[in-house]
Amino acid sequence: MKATNVLEELKRRFPNEPEYHQAVEEVLSTIEEEYNKHPEFDKANLIERLCIPDRIYQFRVTWVDDKGNVRTNMGYRVQHNNAIGPYKGGIRFHASVNLSILKFLAFEQTFKNSLTTLPMGGGKGGSDFSPRGKSNAEVMRFCQAFMLELWRHIGPETDVPAGDIGVGGREVGFMFGMYKKLTREFSGVLTGKGIEFGGSLIRPEATGYGNIYFLLEMLKTKGTDLKGKTCLISGSGNVAQYTAEKVLQMGGKVLTMSDSDGYVYDPEGIDREKLDYIMELKNLYRGRIREYAEHYPGVKYVEGARPWGEKADIALPSATQNEINGDDARQLVANGVMAVSEGANMPSTPEAIRVFQDAKILYAPGKAANAGGVSVSGLEMTQNSIKLSWSQEEVDEKLKSIMKNIHEACVKYGTEPDGYVNYVKGANVAGFMKVAKAMMAQGIV
Ligand code: NDP
């Protein structure tokens, strides 16, 4: 396999899908060497079968808004690969959603899920519906209409969706309710459910906490930890909030948070009480981050910008893809950042990744660092299957140990001759090998 040839062919067959091409290129360029050690893989054309999703469902979602207008959105589910378990991956509701974005996310998810060591394949879905500015009733009607199509393609042993951008506990609850009504079955078909109906403790916290557990493992390799370290966090949604919470618990200082309108910089640090304010603002009132700066004196709000120009020890991108470009990365490095650990999926552009790696700073790609979310989703599936609920401590311990194992796998496959750990290569090779072996064993299907 020659990575560039495979990529060119994919670009020819699936044009106008830049995010999908970007994710595939990153993986192929790092697994090429390992792949070529196994001529049997190439004979079975494993690489194309791994890059092209098993199937994609695409449908129209029609719903009625509060004013009685009939609205349409597009709905999708990309079932990428189920060699090691049922398809598993979140649902994203955001105006920017398109097939390229969902294909990149489903592709990444396949390797991430493999890394967790849990039996989960990769998938992703969503809609170009944006919950922003919609009433509760509108969100409910949309979720119900979306599930009216999706339900026939998913199931607890087939495909188990979860949340992602724009899909939190509220949306998962509405979708679960409709699935249950349609199938007359109470099952673990979605994860991220409410705690009263099959949800797992620590699931809301899992992605953010997991990212910090991973970061701590990386810092340990440099003989340090988070105490007294300053952190830049982007986003103020689920991942960002619990990333901030864990940073505070570990003795770090959170300087920034953001949303799609801009970022806030608090030189005093966003402490526990201030984080509670953000959680209430975002989760209860669905407000804007700008209001934080209006509420607390001495806080700077920068409209239409991302926080990467600020000086700090650690960067924790937790909003969306391609939110750190080459210039941002150079600025971060010039300001002395020592670690970047990705809560979001693919937040750094390929150029930004090169800048971090050339500077030899600790850099963890999302598929390793944010795998805590899907890991606890996997634990939620297990609890649903055995009809038991584990305690907070039990789930948190399991999460910690999974993140530690992922870190070890990255070090094993990603350590370069000079001792620098290329976490991108480590995560890709470790994730790839397991899926590849399972696919080989299962024949040409
Ligand atoms: P949320 O919807 O809860 O929060 C997303 C945050 O990012 C919001 O603050 C949002 O601002 C901001 N944001 C979204 N899109 C953009 C954009 N285009 N530009 C700037 N800011 C933006 O989502 P999550 O916290 O769940 O997800 C964040 C990231 O983490 C995503 O990349 C997701 O794929 C990834 N992830 C999530 C997991 C999970 O368990 N939830 C698991 C693994 C990865 P605004 O309010 O203005 O829209």
Side-chain angles (χ1 to χ4, degrees):
M1 181 267 282
K2 192 150 174 25
T4 40
N5 294 352
V6 177
L7 190 70
E8 283 316 308
E9 182 60 10
L10 285 178
K11 282 183 177 167
R12 190 189 63 75
R13 291 170 74 182
F14 310 104
N16 309 317
E17 296 186 352
E19 292 87 359
Y20 171 59
H21 302 154
Q22 182 182 335
V24 170
E25 183 166 15
E26 185 222 89
V27 170
L28 293 191
S29 63
T30 52
I31 63 165
E32 187 170 10
E33 193 187 324
E34 193 63 33
Y35 184 95
N36 287 334
K37 289 184 193 157
H38 299 268
E40 71 278 14
F41 288 174
D42 226 29
K43 255 195 198 140
N45 195 8
L46 196 82
I47 206 63
E48 275 191 12
R49 292 161 57 213
L50 192 58
C51 290
I52 301 173
D54 287 354
R55 67 189 69 76
I56 299 173
Y57 298 106
Q58 189 168 339
F59 46 90
R60 171 172 50 77
V61 184
T62 306
W63 56 286
V64 182
D65 70 19
D66 285 348
K67 295 195 180 104
N69 301 312
V70 178
R71 310 275 293 261
T72 62
N73 286 98
M74 286 309 298
Y76 310 88
R77 185 72 186 165
V78 179
Q79 296 184 335
H80 190 86
N81 186 294
N82 66 351
I84 61 172
Y87 303 106
K88 178 92 197 88
I91 291 180
R92 177 176 291 192
F93 289 166
H94 193 271
S96 64
V97 163
N98 58 36
L99 213 44
S100 172
I101 289 178
L102 295 179
K103 280 174 74 177
F104 116 63
L105 288 163
F107 176 80
E108 288 275 297
Q109 194 82 46
T110 300
F111 298 94
K112 182 193 304 189
N113 293 2
S114 166
L115 272 177
T116 67
T117 69
L118 301 176
M120 300 180 290
K124 201 86 188 186
S127 172
D128 57 357
F129 168 82
S130 169
R132 185 171 167 182
K134 305 287 191 305
S135 72
N136 247 322
E138 287 176 323
V139 170
M140 181 180 76
R141 286 196 294 276
F142 176 80
C143 289
Q144 292 176 337
F146 182 79
M147 192 48 90
L148 218 43
E149 274 294 331
L150 186 67
W151 74 280
R152 58 187 103 243
H153 308 304
I154 60 175
E157 308 296 338
T158 314
D159 183 354
V160 184
D164 190 74
I165 291 179
V167 178
R170 175 181 64 167
E171 290 76 14
V172 169
F174 290 148
M175 286 192 273
F176 182 78
M178 190 48 132
Y179 182 87
K180 186 168 64 72
K181 179 144 184 119
L182 289 164
T183 57
R184 293 176 298 143
E185 167 185 302
F186 190 107
S187 66
V189 67
L190 289 153
T191 58
K193 299 185 290 298
I195 210 69
E196 305 79 9
F197 53 98
S200 175
L201 288 163
I202 303 287
R203 177 60 189 93
E205 295 88 345
T207 309
Y209 279 19
N211 187 18
I212 299 307
Y213 295 150
F214 194 92
L215 171 68
L216 288 168
E217 290 298 321
M218 289 203 296
L219 292 175
K220 213 194 282 174
T221 66
K222 302 282 173 202
T224 186
D225 59 24
L226 258 171
K227 283 190 199 77
K229 302 262 181 342
T230 49
C231 301
L232 305 177
I233 296 179
S234 63
S236 50
N238 170 271
V239 176
Q241 291 173 16
Y242 289 104
T243 299
E245 181 166 290
K246 193 48 88 178
V247 167
L248 295 181
Q249 286 172 13
M250 293 295 141
K253 186 172 176 183
V254 178
L255 293 177
T256 65
M257 288 181 84
S258 72
D259 61 22
S260 47
D261 295 338
Y263 76 90
V264 289
Y265 176 83
D266 187 340
E268 299 297 317
I270 299 172
D271 61 16
R272 179 71 253 184
E273 182 235 307
K274 292 168 169 175
L275 181 59
D276 285 342
Y277 171 86
I278 290 180
M279 286 180 162
E280 202 172 296
L281 173 74
K282 284 287 169 183
N283 307 343
L284 220 56
Y285 302 110
R286 301 188 184 268
R288 309 306 301 158
I289 201 71
R290 163 183 39 81
E291 297 170 53
Y292 177 91
E294 291 160 7
H295 191 77
Y296 291 103
V299 176
K300 173 171 80 169
Y301 172 65
V302 187
E303 178 95 23
R306 297 176 291 214
W308 315 125
E310 305 292 347
K311 187 172 165 49
D313 302 312
I314 288 161
L316 301 161
S318 310
T320 194
Q321 65 276 356
N322 293 329
E323 55 169 316
I324 301 183
N325 61 28
D327 288 340
D328 297 325
R330 275 183 283 276
Q331 183 72 61
L332 283 165
V333 169
N335 281 343
V337 82
M338 67 177 297
V340 179
S341 199
E342 297 183 341
N345 283 309
M346 209 167 77
S348 307
T349 63
E351 190 188 351
I353 296 173
R354 270 193 302 277
V355 171
F356 296 143
Q357 293 185 330
D358 287 349
K360 304 265 175 197
I361 65 162
L362 297 168
Y363 166 70
K367 71 167 76 65
N370 72 31
V374 73
S375 299
V376 175
S377 275
L379 300 178
E380 183 173 328
M381 287 165 73
T382 307
Q383 293 170 82
N384 292 164
S385 303
I386 60 173
K387 301 198 166 20
L388 279 177
S389 301
W390 294 328
S391 71
Q392 189 153 324
E393 292 72 27
E394 273 174 287
V395 180
D396 201 23
E397 269 317 304
K398 288 183 168 58
L399 171 62
K400 263 185 212 157
S401 119
I402 289 170
M403 298 315 294
K404 192 167 188 293
N405 290 340
I406 296 176
H407 183 267
E408 273 169 20
C410 291
V411 171
K412 178 175 169 193
Y413 291 102
T415 303
E416 293 182 338
D418 64 357
Y420 177 68
V421 182
N422 182 337
Y423 285 91
V424 179
K425 182 175 179 198
N428 287 341
V429 173
F432 161 75
M433 283 309 284
K434 184 173 162 190
V435 179
K437 284 180 185 166
M439 287 175 72
M440 290 302 292
Q442 292 168 18
I444 309 296
V445 288

Short mmCIF file of all heavy atoms in Angstrom, two decimals, residues 339-372:
data_model
loop_
_atom_site.label_atom_id
_atom_site.label_comp_id
_atom_site.label_asym_id
_atom_site.label_seq_id
_atom_site.Cartn_x
_atom_site.Cartn_y
_atom_site.Cartn_z
N ALA A 339 2.15 21.08 26.53
CA ALA A 339 1.32 19.93 26.16
C ALA A 339 0.02 20.40 25.53
O ALA A 339 -0.55 21.41 25.93
CB ALA A 339 1.00 19.10 27.40
N VAL A 340 -0.41 19.63 24.52
CA VAL A 340 -1.72 19.86 23.90
C VAL A 340 -2.44 18.52 23.93
O VAL A 340 -1.93 17.52 23.42
CB VAL A 340 -1.57 20.33 22.43
CG1 VAL A 340 -2.94 20.53 21.79
CG2 VAL A 340 -0.74 21.61 22.35
N SER A 341 -3.60 18.49 24.56
CA SER A 341 -4.33 17.23 24.66
C SER A 341 -5.75 17.49 24.18
O SER A 341 -6.46 18.36 24.71
CB SER A 341 -4.30 16.75 26.12
OG SER A 341 -4.60 15.39 26.20
N GLU A 342 -6.17 16.72 23.18
CA GLU A 342 -7.39 17.07 22.44
C GLU A 342 -8.66 16.43 23.01
O GLU A 342 -8.83 15.22 22.92
CB GLU A 342 -7.24 16.68 20.97
CG GLU A 342 -6.11 17.44 20.27
CD GLU A 342 -5.98 17.10 18.79
OE1 GLU A 342 -6.49 16.05 18.35
OE2 GLU A 342 -5.35 17.90 18.07
N GLY A 343 -9.55 17.27 23.54
CA GLY A 343 -10.86 16.79 23.95
C GLY A 343 -11.78 16.69 22.75
O GLY A 343 -12.62 15.79 22.66
N ALA A 344 -11.63 17.61 21.81
CA ALA A 344 -12.45 17.59 20.60
C ALA A 344 -11.88 16.58 19.61
O ALA A 344 -10.78 16.06 19.78
CB ALA A 344 -12.47 18.98 19.97
N ASN A 345 -12.64 16.30 18.56
CA ASN A 345 -12.16 15.42 17.50
C ASN A 345 -11.50 16.24 16.41
O ASN A 345 -12.11 17.16 15.87
CB ASN A 345 -13.35 14.63 16.91
CG ASN A 345 -13.79 13.51 17.81
OD1 ASN A 345 -12.97 12.69 18.24
ND2 ASN A 345 -15.07 13.46 18.13
N MET A 346 -10.24 15.90 16.10
CA MET A 346 -9.46 16.54 15.03
C MET A 346 -9.43 18.07 15.14
O MET A 346 -9.60 18.76 14.12
CB MET A 346 -9.99 16.10 13.67
CG MET A 346 -8.97 16.07 12.55
SD MET A 346 -9.55 15.21 11.07
CE MET A 346 -10.65 16.41 10.32
N PRO A 347 -9.23 18.63 16.33
CA PRO A 347 -9.22 20.09 16.44
C PRO A 347 -7.99 20.73 15.82
O PRO A 347 -8.01 21.92 15.51
CB PRO A 347 -9.25 20.34 17.95
CG PRO A 347 -8.68 19.11 18.56
CD PRO A 347 -9.07 17.98 17.65
N SER A 348 -6.91 19.98 15.65
CA SER A 348 -5.69 20.56 15.07
C SER A 348 -5.58 20.20 13.60
O SER A 348 -5.76 19.04 13.23
CB SER A 348 -4.44 20.03 15.80
OG SER A 348 -4.57 20.23 17.19
N THR A 349 -5.26 21.19 12.78
CA THR A 349 -5.06 20.92 11.35
C THR A 349 -3.75 20.13 11.20
O THR A 349 -2.90 20.12 12.10
CB THR A 349 -4.94 22.22 10.55
OG1 THR A 349 -3.77 22.92 11.02
CG2 THR A 349 -6.16 23.10 10.70
N PRO A 350 -3.55 19.48 10.03
CA PRO A 350 -2.30 18.74 9.83
C PRO A 350 -1.07 19.63 10.03
O PRO A 350 -0.07 19.20 10.60
CB PRO A 350 -2.40 18.26 8.37
CG PRO A 350 -3.87 18.21 8.09
CD PRO A 350 -4.49 19.31 8.91
N GLU A 351 -1.17 20.89 9.61
CA GLU A 351 -0.03 21.81 9.79
C GLU A 351 0.23 22.05 11.28
O GLU A 351 1.38 22.06 11.73
CB GLU A 351 -0.32 23.13 9.07
CG GLU A 351 0.88 24.04 9.01
CD GLU A 351 0.54 25.44 8.48
OE1 GLU A 351 -0.59 25.64 8.01
OE2 GLU A 351 1.41 26.32 8.56
N ALA A 352 -0.83 22.24 12.04
CA ALA A 352 -0.68 22.47 13.48
C ALA A 352 -0.01 21.25 14.15
O ALA A 352 0.88 21.40 15.00
CB ALA A 352 -2.04 22.74 14.12
N ILE A 353 -0.42 20.07 13.74
CA ILE A 353 0.16 18.86 14.33
C ILE A 353 1.66 18.82 14.05
O ILE A 353 2.48 18.51 14.93
CB ILE A 353 -0.54 17.59 13.77
CG1 ILE A 353 -2.02 17.58 14.19
CG2 ILE A 353 0.16 16.32 14.27
CD1 ILE A 353 -2.85 16.46 13.57
N ARG A 354 2.03 19.17 12.81
CA ARG A 354 3.46 19.18 12.46
C ARG A 354 4.23 20.16 13.33
O ARG A 354 5.33 19.88 13.79
CB ARG A 354 3.64 19.53 10.97
CG ARG A 354 3.63 18.30 10.06
CD ARG A 354 4.14 18.64 8.65
NE ARG A 354 3.37 19.69 8.00
CZ ARG A 354 2.22 19.48 7.36
NH1 ARG A 354 1.70 18.26 7.29
NH2 ARG A 354 1.57 20.48 6.78
N VAL A 355 3.62 21.32 13.58
CA VAL A 355 4.28 22.33 14.42
C VAL A 355 4.52 21.77 15.82
O VAL A 355 5.61 21.87 16.38
CB VAL A 355 3.45 23.64 14.49
CG1 VAL A 355 4.01 24.60 15.53
CG2 VAL A 355 3.38 24.30 13.12
N PHE A 356 3.51 21.14 16.40
CA PHE A 356 3.65 20.58 17.76
C PHE A 356 4.73 19.49 17.78
O PHE A 356 5.56 19.43 18.68
CB PHE A 356 2.33 19.98 18.25
CG PHE A 356 1.21 20.99 18.41
CD1 PHE A 356 -0.11 20.67 18.09
CD2 PHE A 356 1.48 22.26 18.91
CE1 PHE A 356 -1.13 21.60 18.25
CE2 PHE A 356 0.46 23.20 19.07
CZ PHE A 356 -0.85 22.86 18.73
N GLN A 357 4.66 18.63 16.77
CA GLN A 357 5.61 17.50 16.77
C GLN A 357 7.04 17.97 16.48
O GLN A 357 7.99 17.46 17.07
CB GLN A 357 5.15 16.43 15.79
CG GLN A 357 3.86 15.77 16.27
CD GLN A 357 3.40 14.62 15.40
OE1 GLN A 357 3.67 14.62 14.18
NE2 GLN A 357 2.70 13.66 15.97
N ASP A 358 7.18 18.96 15.60
CA ASP A 358 8.53 19.48 15.33
C ASP A 358 9.11 20.13 16.58
O ASP A 358 10.32 20.08 16.82
CB ASP A 358 8.51 20.50 14.17
CG ASP A 358 8.29 19.81 12.83
OD1 ASP A 358 8.38 18.56 12.79
OD2 ASP A 358 8.00 20.51 11.83
N ALA A 359 8.24 20.75 17.37
CA ALA A 359 8.70 21.40 18.61
C ALA A 359 8.91 20.38 19.73
O ALA A 359 9.35 20.76 20.82
CB ALA A 359 7.71 22.46 19.05
N LYS A 360 8.54 19.12 19.45
CA LYS A 360 8.71 18.00 20.40
C LYS A 360 7.98 18.25 21.71
O LYS A 360 8.47 17.87 22.79
CB LYS A 360 10.20 17.73 20.68
CG LYS A 360 11.02 17.46 19.43
CD LYS A 360 11.16 15.99 19.16
CE LYS A 360 11.88 15.73 17.84
NZ LYS A 360 11.76 14.44 17.29
N ILE A 361 6.82 18.91 21.62
CA ILE A 361 6.02 19.04 22.85
C ILE A 361 5.10 17.83 22.94
O ILE A 361 4.91 17.08 21.97
CB ILE A 361 5.20 20.35 22.87
CG1 ILE A 361 4.16 20.36 21.74
CG2 ILE A 361 6.10 21.57 22.79
CD1 ILE A 361 3.06 21.38 21.96
N LEU A 362 4.51 17.62 24.11
CA LEU A 362 3.56 16.53 24.28
C LEU A 362 2.32 16.87 23.48
O LEU A 362 1.72 17.93 23.68
CB LEU A 362 3.19 16.37 25.75
CG LEU A 362 4.33 15.99 26.71
CD1 LEU A 362 3.86 16.16 28.16
CD2 LEU A 362 4.80 14.55 26.45
N TYR A 363 1.94 15.98 22.56
CA TYR A 363 0.75 16.24 21.75
C TYR A 363 -0.08 14.96 21.64
O TYR A 363 0.39 13.96 21.09
CB TYR A 363 1.15 16.75 20.34
CG TYR A 363 -0.05 16.68 19.41
CD1 TYR A 363 -1.13 17.55 19.58
CD2 TYR A 363 -0.13 15.71 18.41
CE1 TYR A 363 -2.25 17.45 18.78
CE2 TYR A 363 -1.25 15.61 17.60
CZ TYR A 363 -2.31 16.48 17.80
OH TYR A 363 -3.43 16.36 17.02
N ALA A 364 -1.31 15.01 22.18
CA ALA A 364 -2.18 13.82 22.13
C ALA A 364 -3.36 14.07 21.21
O ALA A 364 -4.14 15.01 21.43
CB ALA A 364 -2.70 13.50 23.52
N PRO A 365 -3.52 13.24 20.17
CA PRO A 365 -4.66 13.40 19.27
C PRO A 365 -5.95 12.96 19.96
O PRO A 365 -5.93 12.12 20.86
CB PRO A 365 -4.32 12.45 18.11
CG PRO A 365 -3.51 11.38 18.74
CD PRO A 365 -2.72 12.05 19.83
N GLY A 366 -7.06 13.54 19.48
CA GLY A 366 -8.36 13.24 20.07
C GLY A 366 -8.67 11.77 20.17
O GLY A 366 -9.23 11.31 21.16
N LYS A 367 -8.28 11.01 19.16
CA LYS A 367 -8.72 9.61 19.19
C LYS A 367 -8.13 8.85 20.37
O LYS A 367 -8.70 7.85 20.80
CB LYS A 367 -8.48 8.92 17.85
CG LYS A 367 -7.07 8.61 17.50
CD LYS A 367 -7.02 7.64 16.33
CE LYS A 367 -7.33 8.28 14.99
NZ LYS A 367 -6.36 9.29 14.54
N ALA A 368 -7.03 9.35 20.93
CA ALA A 368 -6.51 8.74 22.16
C ALA A 368 -7.04 9.51 23.38
O ALA A 368 -7.62 8.94 24.29
CB ALA A 368 -4.98 8.79 22.14
N ALA A 369 -6.87 10.83 23.36
CA ALA A 369 -7.12 11.62 24.57
C ALA A 369 -8.60 11.76 24.91
O ALA A 369 -8.95 11.89 26.08
CB ALA A 369 -6.50 13.01 24.41
N ASN A 370 -9.49 11.72 23.89
CA ASN A 370 -10.91 11.89 24.24
C ASN A 370 -11.68 10.58 24.21
O ASN A 370 -12.91 10.56 24.23
CB ASN A 370 -11.58 12.98 23.39
CG ASN A 370 -11.79 12.55 21.93
OD1 ASN A 370 -12.00 11.38 21.64
ND2 ASN A 370 -11.78 13.52 21.03
N ALA A 371 -10.94 9.46 24.23
CA ALA A 371 -11.60 8.14 24.15
C ALA A 371 -12.34 7.77 25.43
O ALA A 371 -13.06 6.78 25.47
CB ALA A 371 -10.57 7.07 23.82
N GLY A 372 -12.18 8.58 26.48
CA GLY A 372 -12.87 8.30 27.74
C GLY A 372 -14.39 8.32 27.59
O GLY A 372 -15.10 7.57 28.25
#
